[in-house]
Amino acid sequence: MAEGNTRLRDELANKGVPDAVTSAILEIEENPELLDFVTGFMIEAKKKRALERLAVSPPPVSPTDSNSSNHTMITVASDYAPTLVGDDLVSEFEKHNYYIGLCQNDDDVPLLMYRTSSKAAPFPTPAAGKRFFQVANKTAHGPWDKVLTRELWNNTVANQIIDQVLEPREIKYSSLKAARFTCGKSALGPIVVWIALHTGKVTSEQCRNASPFILGILETHGVRGAEVEWYENKVERLAGPSLMPTVNATNPTYPYRRSYTAVLSLPVAAETRQVEDAYGTVGIYFHVGQRVFATTNKHVLSPEDQLDQDYVYGGGGAPRQKVRLLGERGYEKTVADTRLAVDTMVDEALRLTQEVKRFLTQWDELEKRTIGHTDWAPAISHTVDNTHHTRDIGVFELVQEKFEPVFRGNLVDLGSRWLSHELNAIFYPNAAIQNAPKFPSNGLLRLRGFVSQQDVANPTHFDEDNRPVYIVGKVGSTTDFTFGRFSDLDAFQCDENGVRSQECLIYNYKDSGDFSAKGDSGAGIWLGDGRLLAILHSGERRGLGRGNHVTYGSPAWFIKDQIETQYPNAVYTHETFVIG
């Protein structure tokens, strides 16, 4: 028994101790070498919970709970003036609260700089002296408009806004997007040209003066009633023994082993980036003959000063750039999460002591976590072809003995939070659509095929109001399983050096939390039917905040084309490591 745990012995001597507590203490005494982390405090908490279950009924549900997903109650900061001050175009209160709802953490939402709709639709503000105020939560949607089509935006309108408005005025934008918003339970709003600016580079006055010219371009192409909104933000790249078999979410060891199984979303870190402790996510597997490869991003596998250089493994005696399961920070976080889980679930700890102990020891040495080596990591480029999509891809070859016993191909582990019927309702919200694919009840979704360039613009899915929609999912090393709303109109990025690119665009889904965060780079973004839509490479967040309100990726069809320039015989459908 753990040293100093006299409270455990005292409990055995007391009368009225629940049977569950008594049996737990006896188990600890019989297995002291495995359960020495169980403390008297934990047993006391277990006793209290057991007694409460016997004596106390569940607490009543708050009458405001039903409204919580549509509104957020905020504390009115004393320095956030609710009205305009001096030459301000946006009040401090509106600046900080206009985009409430777009991120899981309200402190991560972008800061509004200017919007053309401020007079027609003033932002609600609290009365003087009021300390608390309810703000409607915003949700971003793709436009899916019959006039501003994907072809018109991607090929004409976006480029005209950049070439005729933003660049001539030297407006340092980081991304140009189009969206529509809902606020609380309101109807879908107008099309919004949504522009992110590099921090501290542009004034509100510049935004105000440029907006009429943007609206003029839209009206020239028949797009009426649109608005323009500007905000500041930055785009950032979200960068042993054999692996464990995949188990069903009902298996009690499931939450502890997910990071060590061979399904997609495996957290990986390159030896070349060990000093930075950067990590990313596996996107897809593919075979070339008997060799098996995995993809992530170039910026996950190569150091910052080599992102503009091609890398191809030379073979023979050339030194290998090792790829590992988890970096040091990732491993330490996994250990900490596991310990926290068992420390707060004594019953699980008692049942799974030996299994948990194995998780915490067999991967502790760095070399044990080497699972492959980088084979191909071409320079990050936005000019591979005339689409200007981002080629940010890294391929590493897998170590056979690590994967062969447990490899099952391109399988996504959806976790245990959502039941299959709940996912069916989320990904296919229109109940009238017949024969929609169903999510598997075991929580394991197999990826099959790629969304073609033609299908991206022609969805077969519709929401409850019969609007076209693609609800997409991904499983990343940091944020795990999340889902979001794919926008039919691409985003146009421009970094601080003036390098431009065109990206797939995902908005957060309100019930899922932030779609991505650092460490999710390389993850596959897919539809509910198992087709791969994009590969995640970056996101947009405010300052040092953790969550992204916008996620970017490269189209899956484009990534497939790039893979096959280097590996023309790539096969994505094998479900075993060794073929034949």
Side-chain angles (χ1 to χ4, degrees), residues 405-450:
V406 295
F407 186 81
R408 296 180 63 183
N410 286 308
L411 201 62
V412 179
D413 185 344
L414 303 176
S416 56
R417 178 183 176 189
W418 302 95
L419 300 176
S420 58
H421 72 272
E422 294 173 323
L423 294 177
N424 292 335
I426 291 167
F427 279 73
Y428 308 106
N430 192 323
I433 302 299
Q434 300 296 317
N435 302 319
K438 303 294 183 184
F439 277 86
S441 58
N442 65 358
L444 299 173
L445 175 69
R446 183 162 297 283
L447 298 190
R448 300 184 187 276
F450 300 79

Side-chain angles (χ1 to χ4, degrees), residues 1-14 17 21-22 24-26 28-29 38-48:
M1 189 175 294
E3 183 179 353
N5 276 345
T6 55
R7 214 180 329 172
L8 302 187
R9 296 187 180 91
D10 293 341
E11 288 291 352
L12 283 175
N14 289 337
V17 176
V21 175
T22 302
I25 296 172
L26 292 174
I28 294 167
E29 287 190 320
V38 178
T39 66
F41 175 80
M42 293 163 61
I43 291 297
E44 181 68 19
K46 180 175 177 64
K47 177 183 176 181
K48 288 181 178 178

Side-chain angles (χ1 to χ4, degrees), residues 432-488:
I433 302 299
Q434 300 296 317
N435 302 319
K438 303 294 183 184
F439 277 86
S441 58
N442 65 358
L444 299 173
L445 175 69
R446 183 162 297 283
L447 298 190
R448 300 184 187 276
F450 300 79
V451 178
S452 69
Q453 191 171 7
Q454 294 72 32
D455 288 345
V456 169
N458 298 289
T460 55
H461 303 166
F462 298 86
D463 67 13
E464 56 271 24
D465 296 316
N466 286 318
R467 294 189 299 259
V469 66
Y470 270 152
I471 303 298
V472 297
K474 77 99 190 64
V475 180
S477 296
T478 299
T479 56
D480 204 7
F481 175 34
T482 56
F483 34 92
R485 297 177 183 274
F486 172 75
S487 174
D488 54 322

